Amino acid sequence: MISLPVLTSSLEQIELDLFLEALHRRYHYDFRSYSRTSLARRAHVARERLGCETLSDAQRRLLHEPDVLPEVIDAMTVQVSDFFRDPAYYRALREEVVPHLRTYSSLKVWVAGCANGEELLSLAILFREEGLLDRTIFYATEINRRALAKASAGVYEIDRLPGFSINYQLAGGHGSLSDHYTAAYGRAVFDRSLRSRVVFSEHDLATDEVFSEIHLISCRNVLIYFDVTLQNRVLGLFADSLVRGGFLGLGAHETLRFSEHASAYSDFNEKERIWRRTTSQEMFHAR
């Protein structure tokens, strides 16, 4: 006889599979290769937001009430970030990567999984201070349309600014973070000029294709939510997107060392999770 806890767990797994399948087949959002532990937590949040007792009830609403989709996607994705999160990463970009980027007359930067825009604007500020903003096009991509809209607006609660400012200074900022925003009515609005070189685009790393001739990809704290198969897909996608000698930055707890695409990259600053796309010369010598 199967005990109730095992049965409940099995039913929950079936419900989760069907919920993800409905989300994919009805709306083309593919979460099926995300980490199961993380998915279970987020699906629970989605169910609660929809006021449903079971995930099956949430699936029914998802299939028959398209208006609930934005709420579901909000629940299924993570938008938590900070300006200059992990300041040593940005300092390494400023001091070690930027000198290489200066050699290009024009630049393309892809911020994959840009969430609410904190990472994007951190890079835009860094590039402005290093004199590279006017020659750079940024591609800011995100699966969550609401998050993408927030990133495009560049508006943040002012009570978050003290932490942002500390990170900015630790990241080697040249002045004050307040040089880059206007504060009013409890909000900080970052300069429109920082977003004038940005192309905001909905993009699903699980299903969509590459951007071309990218010089820097920054995708931080995204891969940790994927299973190994999807991680390999994404790292291959990035390799195809980068120019030879281009740079890839990952989150503090992410690595490509054990990826099937590891040979496409060479170590640059592994401590700060920065790799470089293997050059043609390096590939020749590796043969």
Side-chain angles (χ1 to χ4, degrees):
M1 182 176 179
I2 300 176
S3 65
L4 182 58
V6 174
L7 178 60
T8 301
S9 177
S10 298
L11 285 175
E12 288 173 348
Q13 290 301 317
I14 293 171
E15 284 188 310
L16 179 58
D17 288 340
L18 294 174
F19 181 78
L20 298 176
E21 191 67 26
L23 193 55
H24 179 240
R25 294 180 65 177
R26 180 76 165 87
Y27 301 104
H28 309 293
Y29 287 96
D30 193 355
F31 291 92
R32 296 172 299 173
S33 294
Y34 283 48
S35 163
R36 296 295 290 190
T37 302
S38 176
L39 278 176
R41 288 196 304 267
R42 289 193 242 168
H44 176 75
V45 173
R47 176 183 64 75
E48 288 192 330
R49 288 191 183 183
L50 297 185
C52 297
E53 292 188 4
T54 68
L55 203 52
S56 293
D57 292 334
Q59 178 196 349
R60 178 192 56 77
R61 291 199 64 190
L62 183 65
L63 286 172
H64 298 286
E65 302 175 36
D67 289 348
V68 307
L69 178 64
E71 197 67 40
V72 170
I73 297 301
D74 258 6
M76 297 298 291
T77 55
V78 177
Q79 297 93 43
V80 178
S81 189
D82 290 313
F83 274 73
F84 296 95
R85 182 179 181 179
D86 301 320
Y89 168 77
Y90 289 94
R91 183 177 284 275
L93 290 180
R94 189 187 294 273
E95 296 177 354
E96 300 174 35
V97 174
V98 162
H100 295 277
L101 298 182
R102 289 190 195 282
T103 64
Y104 295 95
S105 59
S106 61
L107 294 165
K108 293 181 181 179
V109 175
W110 180 9
V111 183
C114 70
N116 292 331
E118 292 94 332
E119 181 182 353
L120 164 70
L121 288 174
S122 298
L123 287 171
I125 290 169
L126 190 156
F127 273 54
R128 172 194 272 178
E129 293 185 344
E130 297 300 327
L132 297 178
L133 185 63
D134 290 342
R135 71 172 90 167
T136 304
I137 296 293
F138 293 89
Y139 296 95
T141 64
E142 172 60 49
I143 193 174
N144 186 322
R145 294 178 185 176
R146 286 183 177 177
L148 203 61
K150 290 179 182 179
S152 178
V155 180
Y156 303 90
E157 295 80 5
I158 202 164
D159 59 4
R160 299 179 66 195
L161 269 295
F164 294 168
S165 296
I166 292 171
N167 286 349
Y168 166 80
Q169 294 296 335
L170 292 173
H174 289 179
S176 169
L177 187 61
S178 61
D179 298 336
H180 304 285
Y181 67 82
T182 302
Y185 306 106
R187 299 290 181 91
V189 182
F190 279 77
D191 294 350
R192 185 177 298 274
S193 61
L194 294 171
R195 289 165 279 134
S196 65
R197 306 283 297 177
V198 181
V199 177
F200 293 94
S201 177
E202 188 176 355
H203 184 276
D204 188 345
L205 289 169
T207 58
D208 292 333
E209 296 306 314
V210 302
F211 291 84
S212 61
E213 299 297 302
I214 303 295
H215 300 87
L216 169 65
I217 297 174
S218 193
C219 180
R220 311 195 68 240
N221 307 300
V222 175
L223 295 185
I224 55 174
Y225 298 108
F226 298 165
D227 68 14
V228 172
T229 299
L230 184 52
Q231 288 180 9
N232 281 323
R233 181 195 193 275
V234 172
L235 291 171
L237 194 76
F238 290 163
D240 291 341
S241 297
L242 286 167
V243 299
R244 296 290 184 183
F247 296 89
L248 170 64
L250 300 178
H253 301 290
E254 297 168 331
T255 185
L256 54 75
R257 178 170 292 277
F258 304 107
S259 165
E260 63 185 37
H261 298 286
S263 62
Y265 301 89
S266 57
D267 292 342
F268 186 78
N269 184 331
E270 189 172 2
K271 179 182 178 183
E272 300 307 332
R273 298 299 194 264
I274 302 172
W275 285 267
R276 197 171 190 184
R277 182 69 169 93
T278 306
T279 65
S280 299
Q281 186 176 12
E282 287 172 326
M283 291 184 68
F284 175 79
H285 287 303
R287 292 175 181 173

